[in-house]
Amino acid sequence: MRDGKYGAAMVAAEWNAGERTPVLEVVSTFSTRNRAVAFGTPDPALRLDAASAAFFTAATEFMPTDGIVRDTARDIVKGRKSEMEKARAIYEWIVDNTFRDPKTRGCRVGDIKSMLETRNLSGKCADLNALYVGLARAVGLPARDVYGLRVVKSEFGYRSLGAGTPNVTRAQHCRAEVYLTGYGWVPVDPADVRKVVLEERPQPTTLADPLVPPVREKLFGAWEMNWLAYNEAHDLKLPGSRGAPVAFFMYPQAETGAGRLDSLDPDSFRYSITAREIKPA
């Protein structure tokens, strides 16, 4: 099935009440390609149409674009004129002012208004990269979260930026993109910069550590595609569900007659995700 608003693809299955041991297996074969934007060579033809620009600057339930979000974004980009300058300023502000919280369950929901109001700018990827997207949208830059899964180790040399084993059940990761005229969709990932700070060494380090600047520079304009993109859906109503919409669709979801299962507890939910690389013949 596909979601009608975002086009998010999904497999949906339903069992009758008499099925005591329902099992579903999904196998996907895919290829990925590293992305890097050549910032020195803009293409004037790369321009977002008005309808798409409106869609990707719209607010969502957890990502408003007014109030404290708009005010914060305007302060960050004050004095910046070009789209590039604004997009980069927001990226640097996220890296400088947020931190990754290892106690966060899953990737959290990206409630950026609450983050700014409480001044607790912590969390994981769905918080920190959602903050980037919301701040960008609040100053008119089309932006979007992209939800997905790390599938193999990082070739960039950072242990924390890849999947360490074939079992990737807990390897979900959200990234972000911002649309810049002349360059198209530009990949960004400030949350992974903070992940390197927290996890790359045996003990957390700081932004001043020599291992951080290379990844900080790389992750504005590039993604290493040891990661599979799923979709960019927000506030998604699951097909056949009696429950509330999910803030985003990055984890397997299931419901019984008693209600929705906890997607962040794969052991009780009983799901697993594995990945293996298929080498070219």
Side-chain angles (χ1 to χ4, degrees):
M1 303 183 69
R2 283 189 179 272
D3 157 64
K5 182 175 181 180
Y6 292 93
M10 65 194 82
V11 174
E14 185 175 355
W15 292 268
N16 61 41
E19 178 58 66
R20 301 183 63 86
T21 55
V23 176
L24 176 67
E25 181 180 26
V26 179
V27 179
S28 300
T29 303
F30 57 90
S31 61
T32 66
R33 182 174 61 184
N34 290 340
R35 294 180 60 192
V37 176
F39 285 123
T41 56
D43 180 354
L46 292 175
R47 182 177 298 274
L48 206 59
D49 63 87
S52 297
F55 186 84
F56 290 112
T57 53
T60 71
E61 179 180 354
F62 290 109
M63 200 164 57
T65 56
D66 58 0
I68 193 171
V69 179
R70 180 189 57 209
D71 294 344
T72 303
R74 287 177 175 175
D75 285 343
I76 294 169
V77 304
K78 188 175 181 179
R80 272 76 173 191
K81 301 299 183 184
S82 71
E83 293 178 350
M84 178 70 73
E85 290 173 330
K86 293 176 182 180
R88 187 66 187 241
I90 296 170
Y91 174 84
E92 300 296 351
W93 187 90
I94 297 286
V95 172
D96 285 335
N97 290 279
T98 66
F99 66 94
R100 183 176 172 87
D101 182 357
K103 297 179 182 178
T104 299
R105 288 191 78 225
C107 297
R108 215 153 62 181
V109 298
D111 186 352
I112 66 172
K113 181 174 181 285
S114 294
M115 292 170 66
L116 292 170
E117 288 178 338
T118 61
R119 299 185 181 181
N120 180 7
L121 302 181
S122 68
K124 289 187 179 174
C125 57
D127 297 310
L128 308 191
N129 284 339
L131 186 56
Y132 180 89
V133 171
L135 292 170
R137 289 187 178 194
V139 290
L141 296 175
R144 61 191 182 189
D145 291 293
V146 187
Y147 300 99
L149 182 75
R150 302 185 203 269
V151 289
V152 292
K153 69 178 183 178
S154 170
E155 298 294 342
F156 185 40
Y158 290 81
R159 172 190 53 80
S160 58
L161 299 186
T165 71
N167 187 328
V168 294
T169 304
R170 292 176 170 86
Q172 289 82 6
H173 180 54
C174 162
R175 288 176 165 175
E177 292 178 306
V178 60
Y179 197 96
L180 301 180
T181 302
Y183 299 101
W185 285 109
V186 174
V188 298
D189 196 345
D192 259 1
V193 181
R194 298 305 316 198
K195 191 173 195 290
V196 166
V197 171
L198 178 69
E199 297 181 5
E200 191 63 24
R201 296 201 186 280
Q203 297 296 324
T205 185
T206 69
L207 293 174
D209 190 303
L211 68 83
V212 178
V215 73
R216 181 173 185 164
E217 182 64 28
K218 183 180 181 69
L219 292 181
F220 183 87
W223 283 348
E224 181 188 8
M225 294 303 287
N226 59 336
W227 170 84
L228 170 65
Y230 286 157
N231 62 73
E232 57 211 44
H234 288 273
D235 306 337
L236 181 69
K237 181 68 175 177
L238 298 172
S241 171
R242 292 176 293 176
V246 293
F248 52 79
F249 189 37
M250 189 163 61
Y251 295 87
Q253 301 285 339
E255 293 182 12
T256 70
R260 186 171 296 167
L261 302 181
D262 184 354
S263 64
L264 301 183
D265 187 4
D267 296 331
S268 297
F269 193 169
R270 297 183 183 176
Y271 71 79
S272 65
I273 308 172
T274 59
R276 66 183 179 91
E277 189 170 5
I278 302 171
K279 298 292 186 180

